Amino acid sequence: MNIPKTDKKRVVVIGGGFAGISLAKKLKDLDVQLVLLDKQNYHTFQPLLYQVSTSGLEPDSIAYPLRKVLRKLNNFYFRWATVERIDPEQRRVITSKGDLSYDFLVLATGTKTNYFGNKDIEKYTMPMKSVPQALNIRSLMLQNFEKADDCVDEKERNALMNFCIIGAGPTGVELAGAFAELKNNVFPKDYRHLDISEMQIHLFEGGPRILPPMSVKASKKALQFLCKLGVTVRLNTIVEGYDGETLTLKNGETIASKNCIWTAGVTGAAIEGFNKDVLVDRINRYKVNEFNQVEGYTNIFAIGDIALMQTKEYPKGHPQVAQPAIQQGELLAKNLKSLLLGKEMKPFRYYDKGTMATVGRNKAVVDLKRAKFGGFFAWYIWMFVHLMALVGFRNRVIVFFNWVYNYINFDKAARLIVRPYKPKE
Ligand SMILES: Cc1cc2nc3c(=O)[nH]c(=O)nc-3n(C[C@H](O)[C@H](O)[C@H](O)COP(=O)(O)OP(=O)(O)OC[C@H]3O[C@@H](n4cnc5c(N)ncnc54)[C@H](O)[C@@H]3O)c2cc1C
């Protein structure tokens, strides 16, 4: 890899997500050479991916070029590369674009979709972890509606208009609410010769309640909202298989659907090269100490979703959401400075700012330490927090105007099939 050699220490960061960019931004005063590697050349604001999937926003309003985020940093290099392996003994990373040595390595690779070993589910359902995947869902949905409008066979038409979302965490709930809004407000105007009541939205959850990471109060409220919007929520229901046409439940029941979206779990996007003991089975997160140092190494750190820091308060690690990733990135910048100056590092303490999820227009739930509530005010807070958290002023302005336009007009305007999706056979 063509990165100039200097006498400065080289910090290599893998991943320009919430954790990676929070760290990199805070390294601006540190006299090191910073190299950021990412398989995408942009940062993705994952919390709003569902709005791209459901035609509410265009992808360029929730993604931001990584070179632009960090262009004010001195001694900063970005390389668009997938890291394939790490050689901790030689202090090298092996990437799709060549090898690179490091003095300090930061793993901030986040997570990938977890199919729990079910190959058919992996092949045929639609994941939603990246911009291309969100666009695939949008294209498939619109293509299937175009087909349904021209379809005389009732069974086939129902399958084209049936939506199944598997996993009722925040992503599944937000997605189901957004599909329901398309059904209630947008599609009846676009497809005037279709009976839109044939569009069914099913949300499946293996556990006893939706939004399991949130309070029981929030789950109940969100369930009420979804039912009001016309979503069929199936709790304690395990999805066992899908072949691209038919979804099969554990109890043997089948549902014909050509739109199945998998939001039922994630696993760490770990990179090969470490001793197996460093990774925790199933969840694939790197075990780290309270300074985010990967077990057994003093110069390798893991931050964000990929890091498993087990504490008294969080015995299963911190929640895999944006705040721990941002806070760990910011603290690690300070700790790297301390390390270089021979000072003591500070341990990480998570400050939980609360959790929230939206179900649709005027409908959201918020869990704060001191208050738990739902409805219009919660929705307003949800919008404000997400707007402020977006990377880039331009993106904030575009998203704000889109939301105002959509709110006033009961519309979701990004209904373009730009790159048709070819379902797997
Ligand atoms: C659909 C969805 C909705 C969400 N909604 C919310 C929400 O409302 N609120 C909330 O707080 N959290 C939400 N989250 C979770 C939140 O997005 C994550 O917790 C957060 O992104 C974690 O940050 P991170 O930096 O650890 O990883 P990420 O943001 O995932 O970044 C990882 C980066 O590493 C790169 N990368 C991975 N592997 C490699 C490799 N081998 N080589 C090079 N680059 C690599 C990726 O391209 C990516 O840019 C949501 C997540 C999803 C998927």
Side-chain angles (χ1 to χ4, degrees), residues 33-72:
Q33 184 188 61
L34 171 65
V35 183
L36 175 65
L37 307 171
D38 201 300
K39 57 184 177 182
Q40 293 160 341
N41 78 331
Y42 53 85
H43 166 78
T44 305
F45 190 78
Q46 293 177 359
L48 291 180
L49 274 177
Y50 84 97
Q51 295 209 3
V52 173
S53 300
T54 53
S55 301
L57 291 171
E58 283 295 357
D60 63 350
S61 53
I62 66 150
Y64 206 80
L66 285 166
R67 284 180 184 272
K68 196 171 169 183
V69 180
L70 300 166
R71 68 181 169 191
K72 288 192 181 139

Short mmCIF file of all heavy atoms in Angstrom, two decimals, residues 33-72:
data_model
loop_
_atom_site.label_atom_id
_atom_site.label_comp_id
_atom_site.label_asym_id
_atom_site.label_seq_id
_atom_site.Cartn_x
_atom_site.Cartn_y
_atom_site.Cartn_z
N GLN A 33 0.58 9.50 12.22
CA GLN A 33 0.06 9.32 10.86
C GLN A 33 -1.19 8.44 10.98
O GLN A 33 -1.12 7.33 11.52
CB GLN A 33 1.09 8.62 9.98
CG GLN A 33 0.62 8.50 8.55
CD GLN A 33 1.55 7.63 7.73
OE1 GLN A 33 1.74 6.46 8.03
NE2 GLN A 33 2.14 8.21 6.70
N LEU A 34 -2.31 8.96 10.49
CA LEU A 34 -3.57 8.23 10.64
C LEU A 34 -3.99 7.66 9.29
O LEU A 34 -4.08 8.39 8.30
CB LEU A 34 -4.66 9.19 11.15
CG LEU A 34 -6.09 8.66 11.17
CD1 LEU A 34 -6.23 7.50 12.15
CD2 LEU A 34 -7.07 9.77 11.56
N VAL A 35 -4.24 6.35 9.27
CA VAL A 35 -4.71 5.71 8.03
C VAL A 35 -6.06 5.07 8.32
O VAL A 35 -6.18 4.23 9.22
CB VAL A 35 -3.72 4.62 7.53
CG1 VAL A 35 -4.21 4.03 6.21
CG2 VAL A 35 -2.32 5.18 7.40
N LEU A 36 -7.08 5.48 7.56
CA LEU A 36 -8.41 4.88 7.71
C LEU A 36 -8.67 3.97 6.52
O LEU A 36 -8.52 4.39 5.36
CB LEU A 36 -9.49 5.99 7.77
CG LEU A 36 -10.93 5.50 7.81
CD1 LEU A 36 -11.23 4.72 9.09
CD2 LEU A 36 -11.91 6.69 7.71
N LEU A 37 -9.07 2.74 6.80
CA LEU A 37 -9.39 1.77 5.74
C LEU A 37 -10.87 1.42 5.85
O LEU A 37 -11.36 1.15 6.95
CB LEU A 37 -8.57 0.50 5.92
CG LEU A 37 -7.05 0.65 6.07
CD1 LEU A 37 -6.43 -0.68 6.46
CD2 LEU A 37 -6.45 1.14 4.76
N ASP A 38 -11.57 1.46 4.74
CA ASP A 38 -12.97 1.02 4.77
C ASP A 38 -13.32 0.42 3.41
O ASP A 38 -12.84 0.87 2.37
CB ASP A 38 -13.92 2.19 5.09
CG ASP A 38 -15.26 1.69 5.62
OD1 ASP A 38 -15.96 0.95 4.89
OD2 ASP A 38 -15.61 2.01 6.76
N LYS A 39 -14.20 -0.58 3.44
CA LYS A 39 -14.59 -1.22 2.18
C LYS A 39 -15.58 -0.36 1.40
O LYS A 39 -15.89 -0.66 0.25
CB LYS A 39 -15.14 -2.62 2.42
CG LYS A 39 -16.32 -2.69 3.36
CD LYS A 39 -16.71 -4.13 3.60
CE LYS A 39 -17.84 -4.21 4.59
NZ LYS A 39 -18.24 -5.56 4.92
N GLN A 40 -16.10 0.68 2.08
CA GLN A 40 -16.94 1.66 1.38
C GLN A 40 -16.22 3.01 1.47
O GLN A 40 -15.48 3.24 2.42
CB GLN A 40 -18.28 1.81 2.09
CG GLN A 40 -19.13 0.56 1.99
CD GLN A 40 -20.20 0.51 3.06
OE1 GLN A 40 -20.13 1.19 4.08
NE2 GLN A 40 -21.19 -0.31 2.82
N ASN A 41 -16.48 3.90 0.50
CA ASN A 41 -15.80 5.20 0.60
C ASN A 41 -16.68 6.23 1.32
O ASN A 41 -16.44 7.41 1.25
CB ASN A 41 -15.34 5.69 -0.77
CG ASN A 41 -16.48 6.29 -1.58
OD1 ASN A 41 -17.63 5.90 -1.41
ND2 ASN A 41 -16.17 7.22 -2.45
N TYR A 42 -17.70 5.74 2.01
CA TYR A 42 -18.60 6.65 2.71
C TYR A 42 -19.00 6.08 4.06
O TYR A 42 -18.94 4.88 4.29
CB TYR A 42 -19.85 6.93 1.86
CG TYR A 42 -20.56 5.68 1.40
CD1 TYR A 42 -21.50 5.04 2.19
CD2 TYR A 42 -20.29 5.13 0.14
CE1 TYR A 42 -22.14 3.90 1.77
CE2 TYR A 42 -20.93 3.97 -0.29
CZ TYR A 42 -21.85 3.36 0.52
OH TYR A 42 -22.48 2.21 0.11
N HIS A 43 -19.42 7.02 4.93
CA HIS A 43 -19.97 6.63 6.23
C HIS A 43 -21.48 6.45 6.05
O HIS A 43 -22.13 7.28 5.39
CB HIS A 43 -19.70 7.76 7.24
CG HIS A 43 -20.49 7.64 8.50
ND1 HIS A 43 -20.14 6.76 9.51
CD2 HIS A 43 -21.61 8.27 8.92
CE1 HIS A 43 -21.02 6.86 10.49
NE2 HIS A 43 -21.92 7.77 10.16
N THR A 44 -22.02 5.40 6.63
CA THR A 44 -23.48 5.15 6.51
C THR A 44 -24.16 5.45 7.84
O THR A 44 -23.76 4.94 8.88
CB THR A 44 -23.74 3.68 6.15
OG1 THR A 44 -23.00 3.38 4.97
CG2 THR A 44 -25.22 3.41 5.91
N PHE A 45 -25.20 6.25 7.78
CA PHE A 45 -25.99 6.52 8.98
C PHE A 45 -27.09 5.44 9.03
O PHE A 45 -28.20 5.62 8.52
CB PHE A 45 -26.59 7.94 8.90
CG PHE A 45 -27.22 8.37 10.18
CD1 PHE A 45 -26.45 8.81 11.24
CD2 PHE A 45 -28.60 8.36 10.34
CE1 PHE A 45 -27.03 9.20 12.45
CE2 PHE A 45 -29.19 8.75 11.54
CZ PHE A 45 -28.40 9.18 12.59
N GLN A 46 -26.73 4.31 9.63
CA GLN A 46 -27.61 3.13 9.59
C GLN A 46 -29.01 3.36 10.16
O GLN A 46 -29.97 2.76 9.68
CB GLN A 46 -26.93 1.95 10.28
CG GLN A 46 -25.70 1.48 9.54
CD GLN A 46 -24.95 0.36 10.24
OE1 GLN A 46 -25.31 -0.09 11.31
NE2 GLN A 46 -23.89 -0.09 9.63
N PRO A 47 -29.18 4.19 11.22
CA PRO A 47 -30.52 4.35 11.76
C PRO A 47 -31.57 4.82 10.74
O PRO A 47 -32.76 4.60 10.94
CB PRO A 47 -30.32 5.39 12.87
CG PRO A 47 -28.92 5.16 13.33
CD PRO A 47 -28.15 4.82 12.08
N LEU A 48 -31.14 5.44 9.64
CA LEU A 48 -32.14 5.89 8.67
C LEU A 48 -32.16 5.05 7.39
O LEU A 48 -32.82 5.43 6.41
CB LEU A 48 -31.94 7.38 8.34
CG LEU A 48 -32.27 8.34 9.49
CD1 LEU A 48 -32.05 9.79 9.07
CD2 LEU A 48 -33.70 8.17 9.99
N LEU A 49 -31.49 3.92 7.41
CA LEU A 49 -31.51 3.06 6.22
C LEU A 49 -32.93 2.65 5.85
O LEU A 49 -33.28 2.54 4.68
CB LEU A 49 -30.71 1.78 6.50
CG LEU A 49 -29.19 1.82 6.26
CD1 LEU A 49 -28.59 0.49 6.67
CD2 LEU A 49 -28.87 2.12 4.80
N TYR A 50 -33.75 2.43 6.88
CA TYR A 50 -35.12 1.96 6.60
C TYR A 50 -35.90 2.99 5.78
O TYR A 50 -36.81 2.65 5.02
CB TYR A 50 -35.84 1.59 7.91
CG TYR A 50 -36.48 2.78 8.61
CD1 TYR A 50 -37.82 3.07 8.45
CD2 TYR A 50 -35.70 3.62 9.41
CE1 TYR A 50 -38.39 4.16 9.08
CE2 TYR A 50 -36.27 4.70 10.03
CZ TYR A 50 -37.61 4.98 9.86
OH TYR A 50 -38.16 6.08 10.47
N GLN A 51 -35.53 4.26 5.91
CA GLN A 51 -36.24 5.28 5.12
C GLN A 51 -35.80 5.25 3.65
O GLN A 51 -36.56 5.64 2.77
CB GLN A 51 -36.01 6.66 5.72
CG GLN A 51 -36.62 6.78 7.11
CD GLN A 51 -37.05 8.17 7.49
OE1 GLN A 51 -36.97 9.11 6.71
NE2 GLN A 51 -37.54 8.32 8.70
N VAL A 52 -34.58 4.78 3.40
CA VAL A 52 -34.14 4.59 2.02
C VAL A 52 -34.89 3.39 1.42
O VAL A 52 -35.38 3.44 0.30
CB VAL A 52 -32.60 4.38 1.95
CG1 VAL A 52 -32.15 4.01 0.54
CG2 VAL A 52 -31.88 5.64 2.43
N SER A 53 -35.01 2.33 2.20
CA SER A 53 -35.72 1.13 1.73
C SER A 53 -37.17 1.41 1.40
O SER A 53 -37.76 0.73 0.56
CB SER A 53 -35.74 0.05 2.83
OG SER A 53 -34.47 -0.30 3.19
N THR A 54 -37.77 2.38 2.09
CA THR A 54 -39.20 2.61 1.93
C THR A 54 -39.49 3.95 1.24
O THR A 54 -40.54 4.56 1.45
CB THR A 54 -39.91 2.56 3.30
OG1 THR A 54 -39.23 3.47 4.19
CG2 THR A 54 -39.87 1.17 3.90
N SER A 55 -38.54 4.39 0.42
CA SER A 55 -38.73 5.54 -0.47
C SER A 55 -38.87 6.89 0.23
O SER A 55 -39.30 7.86 -0.39
CB SER A 55 -39.95 5.34 -1.39
OG SER A 55 -39.80 4.19 -2.15
N GLY A 56 -38.52 6.96 1.51
CA GLY A 56 -38.63 8.24 2.22
C GLY A 56 -37.45 9.16 1.96
O GLY A 56 -37.59 10.38 1.98
N LEU A 57 -36.28 8.57 1.75
CA LEU A 57 -35.06 9.38 1.57
C LEU A 57 -34.21 8.77 0.46
O LEU A 57 -34.22 7.55 0.27
CB LEU A 57 -34.23 9.40 2.85
CG LEU A 57 -34.79 10.16 4.06
CD1 LEU A 57 -33.93 9.88 5.30
CD2 LEU A 57 -34.87 11.66 3.80
N GLU A 58 -33.44 9.63 -0.21
CA GLU A 58 -32.46 9.13 -1.17
C GLU A 58 -31.19 8.75 -0.40
O GLU A 58 -30.90 9.35 0.64
CB GLU A 58 -32.13 10.22 -2.21
CG GLU A 58 -33.19 10.42 -3.27
CD GLU A 58 -33.38 9.21 -4.19
OE1 GLU A 58 -32.64 8.21 -4.05
OE2 GLU A 58 -34.30 9.25 -5.02
N PRO A 59 -30.42 7.78 -0.91
CA PRO A 59 -29.26 7.31 -0.12
C PRO A 59 -28.22 8.38 0.16
O PRO A 59 -27.58 8.35 1.21
CB PRO A 59 -28.67 6.19 -0.97
CG PRO A 59 -29.33 6.26 -2.29
CD PRO A 59 -30.63 6.99 -2.12
N ASP A 60 -28.06 9.35 -0.75
CA ASP A 60 -26.97 10.32 -0.51
C ASP A 60 -27.29 11.28 0.63
O ASP A 60 -26.44 12.07 1.03
CB ASP A 60 -26.58 11.07 -1.79
CG ASP A 60 -27.72 11.90 -2.34
OD1 ASP A 60 -28.85 11.75 -1.85
OD2 ASP A 60 -27.47 12.70 -3.26
N SER A 61 -28.52 11.19 1.18
CA SER A 61 -28.79 12.06 2.33
C SER A 61 -28.45 11.37 3.65
O SER A 61 -28.46 12.00 4.70
CB SER A 61 -30.25 12.54 2.33
OG SER A 61 -31.11 11.45 2.22
N ILE A 62 -28.15 10.07 3.61
CA ILE A 62 -27.78 9.40 4.87
C ILE A 62 -26.36 8.83 4.81
O ILE A 62 -25.92 8.13 5.72
CB ILE A 62 -28.78 8.29 5.25
CG1 ILE A 62 -28.74 7.13 4.25
CG2 ILE A 62 -30.18 8.81 5.38
CD1 ILE A 62 -29.09 5.82 4.90
N ALA A 63 -25.66 9.10 3.71
CA ALA A 63 -24.28 8.62 3.60
C ALA A 63 -23.38 9.83 3.34
O ALA A 63 -23.85 10.85 2.82
CB ALA A 63 -24.17 7.63 2.45
N TYR A 64 -22.11 9.71 3.72
CA TYR A 64 -21.24 10.88 3.61
C TYR A 64 -19.83 10.41 3.26
O TYR A 64 -19.31 9.48 3.89
CB TYR A 64 -21.23 11.61 4.96
CG TYR A 64 -20.93 13.08 4.84
CD1 TYR A 64 -21.91 13.99 4.46
CD2 TYR A 64 -19.65 13.54 5.09
CE1 TYR A 64 -21.61 15.33 4.36
CE2 TYR A 64 -19.35 14.89 4.98
CZ TYR A 64 -20.34 15.78 4.61
OH TYR A 64 -20.06 17.11 4.50
N PRO A 65 -19.17 11.04 2.26
CA PRO A 65 -17.83 10.56 1.87
C PRO A 65 -16.83 10.64 3.03
O PRO A 65 -16.72 11.69 3.67
CB PRO A 65 -17.41 11.52 0.75
CG PRO A 65 -18.66 12.21 0.32
CD PRO A 65 -19.61 12.19 1.47
N LEU A 66 -16.13 9.56 3.26
CA LEU A 66 -15.19 9.52 4.40
C LEU A 66 -14.04 10.52 4.21
O LEU A 66 -13.59 11.13 5.17
CB LEU A 66 -14.65 8.10 4.58
CG LEU A 66 -15.65 7.14 5.23
CD1 LEU A 66 -15.20 5.70 5.09
CD2 LEU A 66 -15.86 7.49 6.69
N ARG A 67 -13.59 10.69 2.97
CA ARG A 67 -12.50 11.66 2.75
C ARG A 67 -12.95 13.07 3.16
O ARG A 67 -12.17 13.86 3.66
CB ARG A 67 -12.08 11.66 1.28
CG ARG A 67 -11.24 10.47 0.90
CD ARG A 67 -10.85 10.50 -0.56
NE ARG A 67 -10.13 9.31 -0.94
CZ ARG A 67 -8.81 9.16 -0.84
NH1 ARG A 67 -8.07 10.13 -0.38
NH2 ARG A 67 -8.23 8.04 -1.22
N LYS A 68 -14.25 13.36 2.91
CA LYS A 68 -14.75 14.70 3.26
C LYS A 68 -14.90 14.86 4.77
O LYS A 68 -14.61 15.93 5.31
CB LYS A 68 -16.09 14.93 2.55
CG LYS A 68 -16.49 16.37 2.55
CD LYS A 68 -17.68 16.62 1.66
CE LYS A 68 -18.21 18.02 1.91
NZ LYS A 68 -19.39 18.31 1.14
N VAL A 69 -15.34 13.81 5.45
CA VAL A 69 -15.52 13.90 6.92
C VAL A 69 -14.20 14.30 7.58
O VAL A 69 -14.17 15.08 8.52
CB VAL A 69 -15.94 12.53 7.52
CG1 VAL A 69 -16.12 12.62 9.03
CG2 VAL A 69 -17.20 11.99 6.88
N LEU A 70 -13.10 13.76 7.04
CA LEU A 70 -11.82 13.90 7.76
C LEU A 70 -10.80 14.74 7.00
O LEU A 70 -9.60 14.71 7.31
CB LEU A 70 -11.25 12.50 8.03
CG LEU A 70 -12.18 11.62 8.90
CD1 LEU A 70 -11.76 10.18 8.86
CD2 LEU A 70 -12.22 12.12 10.34
N ARG A 71 -11.26 15.53 6.03
CA ARG A 71 -10.28 16.20 5.16
C ARG A 71 -9.48 17.29 5.86
O ARG A 71 -8.45 17.71 5.36
CB ARG A 71 -10.95 16.74 3.91
CG ARG A 71 -11.90 17.88 4.15
CD ARG A 71 -12.51 18.30 2.85
NE ARG A 71 -13.60 19.23 3.09
CZ ARG A 71 -14.46 19.61 2.18
NH1 ARG A 71 -14.37 19.13 0.96
NH2 ARG A 71 -15.40 20.47 2.45
N LYS A 72 -9.94 17.74 7.02
CA LYS A 72 -9.19 18.80 7.71
C LYS A 72 -8.03 18.25 8.54
O LYS A 72 -7.25 19.01 9.10
CB LYS A 72 -10.14 19.60 8.61
CG LYS A 72 -11.07 20.46 7.77
CD LYS A 72 -11.81 21.47 8.58
CE LYS A 72 -12.74 22.27 7.68
NZ LYS A 72 -14.03 22.50 8.32
#
